[in-house]
């Protein structure tokens, strides 16, 4: 299961500790409406980046995607 959140503290905590997860998508959207969030997620899932979600924290805005690999 992949977690999708707007909570930037949650994503940061997952990068710094050894908590196991299957992937986190952190939404950093200017417009946080459900419709905009769904649109951005669908664009992400229809791109090659979807293959980098597993075990990583993926930070997504309307204009940028950054993939962070948790520290070992």
């Amino acid at each position: 299961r992949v977690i999708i959140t707007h909570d930037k503290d949650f994503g940061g905590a997952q990068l710094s500790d050894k908590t196991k997860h299957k992937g986190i998508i952190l939404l950093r959207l200017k417009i946080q409406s459900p419709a905009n969030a769904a649109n951005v997620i669908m664009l992400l899932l229809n791109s090659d980046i979807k293959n980098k979600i597993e075990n990583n924290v993926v930070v997504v805005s309307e204009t940028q995607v950054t993939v962070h690999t948790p520290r070992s």
Side-chain angles (χ1 to χ4, degrees), residues 2 5 8-10 15-17 25 29 31 36 39 47 51 57 67 69-70:
V2 174
T5 183
K8 63 184 175 184
D9 293 329
F10 183 84
L15 282 173
S16 62
D17 69 27
I25 298 173
L29 305 176
I31 301 170
N36 190 47
N39 184 49
S47 74
N51 299 322
V57 176
V67 178
T69 302

Side-chain angles (χ1 to χ4, degrees), residues 3-59:
I3 297 170
I4 301 172
T5 183
H6 290 276
D7 184 354
K8 63 184 175 184
D9 293 329
F10 183 84
Q14 298 305 313
L15 282 173
S16 62
D17 69 27
K18 297 178 182 179
T19 304
K20 298 279 186 197
H21 60 79
K22 287 294 184 182
I24 298 169
I25 298 173
L26 175 59
L27 300 175
R28 302 283 289 150
L29 305 176
K30 292 181 181 180
I31 301 170
Q32 294 186 359
S33 70
N36 190 47
N39 184 49
V40 169
I41 292 167
M42 289 306 298
L43 289 171
L44 176 71
L45 295 177
N46 287 321
S47 74
D48 291 335
I49 303 246
K50 70 180 175 206
N51 299 322
K52 297 180 180 182
I53 295 172
E54 188 171 351
N55 301 318
N56 293 314
V57 176
V58 181
V59 182

